[in-house]
Amino acid sequence: MDTDLDREIAALSTLDLAGLRSRWRQRLRTAPPPQLSRALLLRLLAYRLQAKALGDLDRDTARLLDRLARERLRRRVEEARGKRSKAAPPIPPPPSPGLRPGTLLVREHAGQMHTVTVQADGFAWQDHTYTSLSEVARAITGTRWNGPRFFGLRDKPAGDSGGGR
């Protein structure tokens, strides 16, 4: 199915503006936006076809993007009125799925498997409850660790190949 979608999207680039509008009506069963240029219509149609076949953005991501767009529009309006924002625009934190109670986190360290259970009030490991994953990681290793990173919940920083120097 992905190859059919890939072929269909590749074929869009050969169409002119009238052809893209016609394909929009055929595939999406709606009228295409009349004011869009060929390049924008091509991108939007490709996105819509992918979203229809593979699924669209989840609700939280769509809300985040809407909020960012509203904030950007608000800043542009203020700048047009002559009000320059002195502070840099705030960067929103990425949406995090969070850990639900009952989730099991498993990590091997020093040849031993360690299982941590997420609870509503903290994290349980070896009959003790800790308030943070960093405390659990410290108890396991004896050294300070970023708990989410220790349990593989965060990506490694760019440039960290994992090998020694």
Side-chain angles (χ1 to χ4, degrees):
M1 179 174 127
D2 286 339
T3 56
D4 292 339
L5 179 63
D6 292 339
R7 272 189 246 122
E8 184 173 3
I9 291 173
L12 293 177
S13 64
T14 64
L15 300 175
D16 62 354
L17 184 59
L20 287 172
R21 288 182 175 149
S22 174
R23 183 69 51 94
W24 182 292
R25 283 188 289 277
Q26 290 170 354
R27 296 288 286 142
L28 301 179
R29 307 270 187 230
T30 64
Q35 72 280 10
L36 294 182
S37 67
R38 181 192 174 278
L40 286 176
L41 191 62
L42 172 72
R43 288 182 177 99
L44 190 55
L45 180 57
Y47 173 81
R48 291 276 182 90
L49 292 174
Q50 289 176 33
K52 192 173 183 181
L54 306 173
D56 208 348
L57 295 173
D58 62 273
R59 193 167 67 194
D60 290 338
T61 303
R63 283 181 183 166
L64 173 66
L65 292 174
D66 286 341
R67 192 178 85 218
L68 289 172
R70 283 192 309 271
E71 178 64 24
R72 184 172 184 185
L73 180 62
R74 185 191 61 77
R75 282 197 319 267
R76 281 187 174 177
V77 167
E78 284 181 0
E79 287 177 5
R81 290 181 185 162
K83 296 180 183 177
R84 286 246 170 213
S85 177
K86 294 178 183 171
I91 298 172
S96 62
L99 295 173
R100 295 189 176 125
T103 302
L104 296 178
L105 303 173
V106 180
R107 166 72 197 258
E108 181 184 353
H109 179 74
Q112 208 174 23
M113 291 301 284
H114 299 277
T115 303
V116 175
T117 305
V118 178
Q119 298 178 333
D121 61 338
F123 304 90
W125 176 70
Q126 291 188 346
D127 299 327
H128 290 90
T129 300
Y130 298 86
T131 58
S132 73
L133 279 176
S134 296
E135 289 179 10
V136 178
R138 189 176 312 125
I140 292 172
T141 64
T143 60
R144 289 184 158 291
W145 266 88
N146 177 301
R149 181 144 182 225
F150 179 80
F151 285 99
L153 300 175
R154 287 197 183 154
D155 294 333
K156 291 181 180 175
D160 185 7
S161 62
R165 287 187 174 176

